[in-house]
């Protein structure tokens, strides 16, 4: 495949891996957190982990939007659609299978008769609202900065069209505050960060500068392909060895220093900072999420329907919160691969296509150690 093949060249990957092997110091550990579930899957899918020296570890962070949404927000959405007549709830596929209260999920609520529809874009939700004027349509919006602009666009279009039956249950979160929280706690004992790629196309590389400076943490924004990840790892190793704490941009073909200004302006027009928001695994973080501005309050489902705040404990034995904080690996969970599988997930990290547990299950369950280069 043209353009992708260049980033999956096995010979080049092995040569860069040899450089990493040569440059890592034998007297120290290198703990690198990938802040994006796409990187986690690339590391396992392409066998990158087997090319790394034993004293270099990849630590999986809270970079999966489905995984970091607390179960209480899902339960609140289920109650909203079950208790409201003539209401359609729309959301993305991965969220449909995440367990909520009493091991329920949006999928199970749909099976019991709730009008919940899987969509591929915010435009789909708008179209459902246009074609069902007699019903209220709520878009259950989640995600980091990558999926926020399409939600903002949907609200702006609905406002311009005067759609009276369209609202958004806003659950969009922001990456830099979560990164700062992970680094400030220190419990993951990190030496460097593989920065997210899609998020960075929106917010730009400069968004991490203050965080890296404050916590003396090297960061390299990495693309999704295997050569991207391996090259970014080499850049991190060099920063660590040289005691530099900079933001480097390996993914220059997509990420700029200032990001997507048009998307940023659209987000600023529609949203404002939410003072407090709960993250699964990280707890309540200040200024780490956004909410719809008062100017567009007519499109805010939390205000129109007074959606209740619900707190739900994670399923007993599930260590998703620890995985999301980078202090545990999925295969350390007693439920992993036994009671918890992609077919019958107990935690969000096993559900999502970007979840760390799903990556371990799909590519790492039967992996055996190979001889290092």
């Amino acid at each position: 495949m043209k353009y992708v093949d260049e980033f999956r060249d096995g010979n080049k990957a092995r040569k860069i891996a040899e450089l990493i092997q040569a440059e890592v110091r034998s007297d120290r550990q290198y703990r690198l957190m990938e802040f994006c579930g796409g990187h986690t899957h690339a590391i396992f899918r392409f066998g990158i982990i087997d090319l790394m020296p034993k004293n270099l570890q990849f630590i999986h962070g809270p970079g999966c939007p489905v995984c970091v949404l607390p179960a209480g927000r899902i339960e609140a959405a289920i109650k909203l659609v079950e208790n409201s007549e003539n209401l359609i709830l729309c959301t993305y596929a991965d969220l449909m299978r995440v367990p909520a209260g009493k091991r329920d999920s949006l999928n199970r609520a749909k099976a019991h008769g709730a009008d919940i529809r899987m969509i591929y874009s915010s435009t789909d939700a708008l179209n459902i609202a246009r074609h069902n004027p007699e019903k209220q349509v709520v878009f259950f919006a989640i995600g980091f900065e990558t999926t926020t602009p399409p939600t903002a666009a949907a609200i702006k279009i609905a406002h311009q069209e005067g759609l009276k039956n369209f609202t958004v249950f806003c659950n969009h979160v922001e990456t830099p505050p979560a990164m700062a929280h992970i680094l400030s706690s220190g419990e993951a004992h990190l030496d460097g960060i593989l920065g997210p790629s899609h998020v960075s196309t929106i917010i730009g590389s400069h968004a991490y500068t203050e965080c890296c400076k404050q916590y003396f943490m090297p960061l390299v924004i990495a693309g999704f392909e295997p050569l991207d990840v391996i090259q970014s790892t080499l850049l991190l190793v060099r920063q660590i060895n040289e005691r530099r704490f900079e933001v480097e941009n390996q993914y220059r073909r997509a990420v700029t220093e200032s990001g997507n200004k048009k998307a940023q302006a659209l987000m600023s027009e529609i949203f404002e900072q939410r003072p407090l928001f709960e993250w699964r695994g990280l707890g309540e973080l200040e200024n780490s999420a956004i909410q719809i501005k008062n100017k567009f309050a007519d499109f805010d489902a939390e205000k129109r329907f007074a959606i209740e705040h619900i707190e739900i404990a994670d399923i007993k034995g599930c260590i998703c919160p620890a995985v999301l904080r980078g202090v545990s690996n999925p295969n350390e969970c007693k439920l992993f691969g036994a009671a918890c599988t992609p077919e019958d997930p107990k935690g969000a990290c096993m559900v999502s296509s970007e979840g760390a547990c799903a990556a371990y299950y799909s590519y790492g369950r039967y992996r055996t150690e190979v001889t290092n280069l």
Side-chain angles (χ1 to χ4, degrees):
M1 183 184 294
K2 181 67 177 170
Y3 198 62
V4 171
D5 286 346
E6 293 94 325
F7 299 97
R8 297 182 179 182
D9 186 318
N11 289 328
K12 289 182 180 176
R14 279 185 283 274
K15 286 179 181 177
I16 300 174
E18 287 174 357
L19 290 175
I20 295 173
Q21 293 275 354
E23 295 193 25
V24 295
R25 288 168 37 188
S26 59
D27 61 341
R28 65 160 301 160
Q29 296 290 315
Y30 296 77
R31 290 174 59 84
L32 312 181
M33 173 175 277
E34 70 271 6
F35 229 85
C36 174
H39 291 149
T40 307
H41 280 254
I43 287 166
F44 280 93
R45 179 186 175 193
F46 295 104
I48 295 171
I49 194 169
D50 294 323
L51 296 174
M52 296 296 113
K54 289 183 177 178
N55 57 337
L56 189 153
Q57 288 179 273
F58 289 113
I59 311 298
H60 320 300
C64 163
V66 172
C67 303
V68 298
L69 185 68
R73 303 287 286 187
I74 303 171
E75 182 71 9
I78 291 173
K79 287 187 177 299
L80 170 67
V81 68
E82 285 184 336
N83 296 333
S84 307
E85 293 184 1
N86 294 323
L87 189 145
I88 301 171
L89 184 74
C90 305
T91 195
Y92 299 125
D94 279 352
L95 195 57
M96 299 285 288
R97 300 176 59 238
V98 178
K102 297 180 180 177
R103 301 184 62 184
D104 209 345
S105 67
L106 292 168
N107 253 349
R108 290 181 180 175
K110 179 181 174 68
H112 292 149
D115 196 347
I116 301 172
R117 305 187 189 183
M118 188 195 80
I119 57 173
Y120 294 98
S121 71
S122 57
T123 303
D124 291 343
L126 278 176
N127 285 333
I128 291 171
R130 293 181 184 119
H131 295 144
N132 296 272
E134 76 286 2
K135 294 192 174 185
Q136 290 293 322
V137 175
V138 178
F139 173 34
F140 189 175
I142 68 163
F144 292 94
E145 292 90 339
T146 317
T147 54
T148 304
T151 302
I155 293 173
K156 187 169 183 177
I157 292 169
H159 177 67
Q160 290 169 342
E161 293 183 5
L163 274 179
K164 303 295 184 186
N165 65 328
F166 176 79
T167 52
V168 172
F169 181 25
C170 182
N171 293 275
H172 286 295
V173 292
E174 298 180 322
T175 304
M179 189 176 288
H181 176 80
I182 293 279
L183 295 178
S184 66
S185 75
E187 60 178 349
H189 304 291
L190 302 179
D191 298 297
I193 292 177
L194 287 170
S197 44
H198 286 164
V199 163
S200 301
T201 63
I202 303 297
I203 64 176
S205 60
H206 79 286
Y208 311 103
T209 303
E210 284 302 313
C211 187
C212 291
K213 192 181 296 183
Q214 182 177 355
Y215 297 103
F216 305 103
M217 184 61 55
L219 182 148
V220 177
I221 297 167
F224 280 125
E225 295 300 326
L227 282 187
D228 290 323
V229 176
I230 295 175
Q231 186 185 34
S232 299
T233 301
L234 176 61
L235 293 174
L236 274 178
V237 167
R238 286 175 175 169
Q239 277 210 52
I240 294 167
N241 288 347
E242 295 166 8
R243 294 187 59 77
R244 290 186 286 117
F245 312 106
E246 301 170 2
V247 177
E248 289 186 273
N249 182 10
Q250 183 275 339
Y251 198 37
R252 291 183 179 178
R253 63 185 185 276
V255 174
T256 64
E257 183 177 0
S258 57
N260 187 327
K261 292 285 190 181
K262 190 173 181 180
Q264 292 170 19
L266 180 60
M267 291 190 292
S268 296
E269 180 182 352
I270 306 297
F271 298 113
E272 62 187 5
Q273 286 251 280
R274 192 187 286 263
L276 207 61
F277 191 80
E278 181 188 357
W279 293 56
R280 188 193 294 261
L282 306 187
E284 291 190 328
L285 305 185
E286 293 181 356
N287 300 319
S288 65
I290 55 173
Q291 60 189 9
I292 299 169
K293 285 183 174 178
N294 275 335
K295 177 182 177 183
F296 300 96
D298 288 346
F299 303 95
D300 189 339
E302 289 185 81
K303 291 178 179 172
R304 184 178 294 186
F305 302 104
I307 295 175
E308 60 181 311
H309 176 75
I310 299 174
E311 292 186 7
I312 296 176
D314 286 301
I315 291 173
K316 190 176 181 181
C318 173
I319 66 166
C320 277
V323 172
L324 293 169
R325 295 199 308 276
V327 298
S328 295
N329 282 323
N331 55 7
E332 295 171 23
C333 180
K334 293 179 180 178
L335 306 182
F336 176 80
C340 182
T341 65
E343 291 75 28
D344 186 18
K346 301 296 183 292
C349 296
M350 184 61 88
V351 177
S352 171
S353 58
E354 295 186 22
C357 296
Y360 269 68
Y361 190 89
S362 298
Y363 307 113
R365 263 185 307 160
Y366 305 116
R367 189 178 69 84
T368 55
E369 286 193 12
V370 299
T371 304
N372 287 325
L373 292 173

